[in-house]
PDB file of all heavy atoms in Angstrom:
ATOM      1  N   ILE A   6      -2.063   5.004   2.870  1.00 50.00           N
ATOM      2  CA  ILE A   6      -2.009   4.769   4.315  1.00 50.00           C
ATOM      3  C   ILE A   6      -2.503   5.996   5.096  1.00 50.00           C
ATOM      4  O   ILE A   6      -3.288   5.909   6.011  1.00 50.00           O
ATOM      5  CB  ILE A   6      -0.571   4.354   4.784  1.00 50.00           C
ATOM      6  CG1 ILE A   6      -0.219   3.011   4.155  1.00 50.00           C
ATOM      7  CG2 ILE A   6      -0.490   4.332   6.282  1.00 50.00           C
ATOM      8  CD1 ILE A   6       1.238   2.618   4.443  1.00 50.00           C
ATOM      9  N   VAL A   7      -1.950   7.172   4.702  1.00 45.00           N
ATOM     10  CA  VAL A   7      -2.348   8.410   5.338  1.00 45.00           C
ATOM     11  C   VAL A   7      -3.814   8.644   5.174  1.00 45.00           C
ATOM     12  O   VAL A   7      -4.526   9.074   6.105  1.00 45.00           O
ATOM     13  CB  VAL A   7      -1.551   9.584   4.709  1.00 45.00           C
ATOM     14  CG1 VAL A   7      -2.093  10.952   5.188  1.00 45.00           C
ATOM     15  CG2 VAL A   7      -0.078   9.468   5.067  1.00 45.00           C
ATOM     16  N   GLY A   8      -4.349   8.330   3.982  1.00 48.00           N
ATOM     17  CA  GLY A   8      -5.760   8.491   3.732  1.00 48.00           C
ATOM     18  C   GLY A   8      -6.635   7.627   4.634  1.00 48.00           C
ATOM     19  O   GLY A   8      -7.676   8.066   5.170  1.00 48.00           O
ATOM     20  N   MET A   9      -6.226   6.377   4.824  1.00 53.00           N
ATOM     21  CA  MET A   9      -6.940   5.469   5.699  1.00 53.00           C
ATOM     22  C   MET A   9      -6.886   5.909   7.143  1.00 53.00           C
ATOM     23  O   MET A   9      -7.915   5.821   7.847  1.00 53.00           O
ATOM     24  CB  MET A   9      -6.317   4.024   5.550  1.00 53.00           C
ATOM     25  CG  MET A   9      -6.623   3.365   4.220  1.00 53.00           C
ATOM     26  SD  MET A   9      -6.043   1.653   4.179  1.00 53.00           S
ATOM     27  CE  MET A   9      -7.110   0.905   5.394  1.00 53.00           C
ATOM     28  N   LEU A  10      -5.751   6.385   7.574  1.00 49.00           N
ATOM     29  CA  LEU A  10      -5.630   6.912   8.964  1.00 49.00           C
ATOM     30  C   LEU A  10      -6.556   8.111   9.189  1.00 49.00           C
ATOM     31  O   LEU A  10      -7.219   8.191  10.251  1.00 49.00           O
ATOM     32  CB  LEU A  10      -4.197   7.283   9.264  1.00 49.00           C
ATOM     33  CG  LEU A  10      -3.209   6.106   9.380  1.00 49.00           C
ATOM     34  CD1 LEU A  10      -1.751   6.664   9.550  1.00 49.00           C
ATOM     35  CD2 LEU A  10      -3.580   5.254  10.613  1.00 49.00           C
ATOM     36  N   LEU A  11      -6.565   8.972   8.160  1.00 54.00           N
ATOM     37  CA  LEU A  11      -7.472  10.165   8.301  1.00 54.00           C
ATOM     38  C   LEU A  11      -8.927   9.704   8.334  1.00 54.00           C
ATOM     39  O   LEU A  11      -9.712  10.290   9.073  1.00 54.00           O
ATOM     40  CB  LEU A  11      -7.217  11.107   7.117  1.00 54.00           C
ATOM     41  CG  LEU A  11      -5.913  11.906   7.143  1.00 54.00           C
ATOM     42  CD1 LEU A  11      -5.704  12.651   5.837  1.00 54.00           C
ATOM     43  CD2 LEU A  11      -5.874  12.868   8.337  1.00 54.00           C
ATOM     44  N   LEU A  12      -9.260   8.754   7.523  1.00 52.00           N
ATOM     45  CA  LEU A  12     -10.650   8.276   7.484  1.00 52.00           C
ATOM     46  C   LEU A  12     -11.037   7.625   8.777  1.00 52.00           C
ATOM     47  O   LEU A  12     -12.124   7.878   9.333  1.00 52.00           O
ATOM     48  CB  LEU A  12     -10.802   7.264   6.300  1.00 52.00           C
ATOM     49  CG  LEU A  12     -12.235   6.638   6.201  1.00 52.00           C
ATOM     50  CD1 LEU A  12     -13.243   7.721   5.950  1.00 52.00           C
ATOM     51  CD2 LEU A  12     -12.233   5.577   5.061  1.00 52.00           C
ATOM     52  N   THR A  13     -10.086   6.835   9.380  1.00 52.00           N
ATOM     53  CA  THR A  13     -10.382   6.198  10.653  1.00 52.00           C
ATOM     54  C   THR A  13     -10.559   7.243  11.755  1.00 52.00           C
ATOM     55  O   THR A  13     -11.484   7.112  12.574  1.00 52.00           O
ATOM     56  CB  THR A  13      -9.161   5.280  11.073  1.00 52.00           C
ATOM     57  OG1 THR A  13      -9.029   4.277  10.064  1.00 52.00           O
ATOM     58  CG2 THR A  13      -9.423   4.631  12.405  1.00 52.00           C
ATOM     59  N   SER A  14      -9.688   8.241  11.783  1.00 48.00           N
ATOM     60  CA  SER A  14      -9.811   9.308  12.771  1.00 48.00           C
ATOM     61  C   SER A  14     -11.148  10.031  12.599  1.00 48.00           C
ATOM     62  O   SER A  14     -11.788  10.413  13.615  1.00 48.00           O
ATOM     63  CB  SER A  14      -8.637  10.303  12.558  1.00 48.00           C
ATOM     64  OG  SER A  14      -7.426   9.660  12.845  1.00 48.00           O
ATOM     65  N   LEU A  15     -11.544  10.298  11.332  1.00 50.00           N
ATOM     66  CA  LEU A  15     -12.787  10.998  11.090  1.00 50.00           C
ATOM     67  C   LEU A  15     -13.962  10.179  11.585  1.00 50.00           C
ATOM     68  O   LEU A  15     -14.939  10.723  12.186  1.00 50.00           O
ATOM     69  CB  LEU A  15     -12.924  11.312   9.617  1.00 50.00           C
ATOM     70  CG  LEU A  15     -14.186  12.055   9.171  1.00 50.00           C
ATOM     71  CD1 LEU A  15     -14.240  13.425   9.841  1.00 50.00           C
ATOM     72  CD2 LEU A  15     -14.243  12.216   7.674  1.00 50.00           C
ATOM     73  N   LEU A  16     -13.920   8.887  11.382  1.00 46.00           N
ATOM     74  CA  LEU A  16     -15.030   8.025  11.857  1.00 46.00           C
ATOM     75  C   LEU A  16     -15.121   7.965  13.362  1.00 46.00           C
ATOM     76  O   LEU A  16     -16.201   8.025  13.940  1.00 46.00           O
ATOM     77  CB  LEU A  16     -14.859   6.580  11.323  1.00 46.00           C
ATOM     78  CG  LEU A  16     -15.092   6.429   9.827  1.00 46.00           C
ATOM     79  CD1 LEU A  16     -14.647   5.006   9.345  1.00 46.00           C
ATOM     80  CD2 LEU A  16     -16.571   6.641   9.444  1.00 46.00           C
TER      81      LEU A  16
END
Side-chain angles (χ1 to χ4, degrees):
I6 294 174
V7 172
M9 289 185 66
L10 290 173
L11 287 173
L12 179 60
T13 300
S14 298
L15 180 60
L16 288 172

